Amino acid sequence: MQTVLCIGIATLDYVYKLDALPARAEKYRARDVAVTTGGCAGNAAVAIARLGGRARLIARLGDDRVGDDIMGSLTDEGVDCSGVVRLGGLRSPVSAILVDAAGERTVISYSDPRYPAAVESLPAALPPGTGAVLGDTRWQEGAARAFTLARAAGVPAVFDVDRAPDHPGVLDAASHIAFSAQALRERTGLEDPREGLRSLASRLRDSWLAVTTGEGGVFFIEDGKVAHEPAFAVDVIDTLGAGDVWHGALALALAEGMAPRPAVRFANATAAIKCTRFGGGRGAPRRAEVEHLLRG
């Protein structure tokens, strides 16, 4: 059982299922609702725990009832939340998400802008037994610090880039960088994800690079060239949290010693199953389900 240290954001999500996303200002009735933990790091941590890994979370929360609910839900999933910092007088992150009949979503999120960027609360070294580090863009100073520690320890430092980062050193600190299609486009100005990867590969020579494109699968650099691993064909119910779950599965696979290509395939299968279930990250599958899909 490998341990993955996740650093970034955890939220409380209110997820509403609609026939169609609102087109004008009026009242709408949801067909279903889920109240669950979310956020890049939070969803990834739950996915790791369900896949049989040990998930440790470092995040910043307010000292409020929303933070209590986030902590309680993650702890119930088996996530180690001893690294979560509670900040007095600040509010914990919360989101309202609308999901339509095709599984596409609109996210309205709030994170207290007063959260400090300082990293003094982070440990001076990785916890013993850490097999990989996974960070997101919501606390880039913290992610850069954790990636530096991971590099020094010789373990994968995986960066979930769902938006273009603005921290000057965080990309260089990561050993494995996986962009969303939007983030890669914002970073490079190129529409074609393959061209975007090629343009970055010449600069980030010491990092493995990938881009997730939803049903288009994952493109990644392999032996100096752009390779492709297709997505699994499933009936999509809800895409919310699929990218977070994908990154959690990838980080765990790398911690377990998988090579990048089979790790990508493992992550693709994990995210595919999640997309068949409503409720964001709470739809993350168990290990046996993923292995069954991979065998099939």
Side-chain angles (χ1 to χ4, degrees), residues 10-14 35-38 61-77 81 86 92-94:
T11 69
L12 187 65
D13 288 351
Y14 294 82
V35 182
T36 180
T37 53
L61 295 176
D63 190 16
D64 54 12
R65 291 185 63 181
V66 171
D68 293 341
D69 290 343
I70 294 170
M71 291 281 286
S73 180
L74 290 172
T75 300
D76 288 345
E77 288 282 357
C81 294
R86 306 294 298 273
S92 298
V94 64

Side-chain angles (χ1 to χ4, degrees), residues 185-293:
R185 186 168 58 249
E186 291 172 349
R187 180 73 183 186
T188 65
L190 299 170
E191 289 291 334
D192 188 326
R194 293 162 293 191
E195 292 300 321
L197 283 182
R198 291 188 188 102
S199 71
L200 286 181
S202 61
R203 186 179 76 80
L204 298 169
R205 297 180 182 275
D206 294 332
S207 300
W208 177 84
L209 301 175
V211 56
T212 60
T213 66
E215 64 181 5
V218 177
F219 297 93
F220 56 98
I221 300 296
E222 182 179 65
D223 298 328
K225 299 179 181 179
V226 177
H228 179 249
E229 190 65 39
F232 288 82
V234 296
D235 293 327
V236 175
I237 300 298
D238 177 10
T239 61
L240 177 64
D244 308 332
V245 167
W246 186 92
H247 285 86
L250 179 77
L252 178 61
L254 293 173
E256 293 177 349
M258 288 191 201
R261 182 180 283 273
V264 168
R265 183 170 170 79
F266 178 79
N268 284 1
T270 304
I273 297 172
K274 188 255 97 50
C275 287
T276 66
R277 298 167 179 170
F278 173 69
R282 78 174 186 177
R286 304 287 176 180
R287 185 71 172 243
E289 298 175 284
V290 176
E291 292 175 346
H292 177 75
L293 179 57

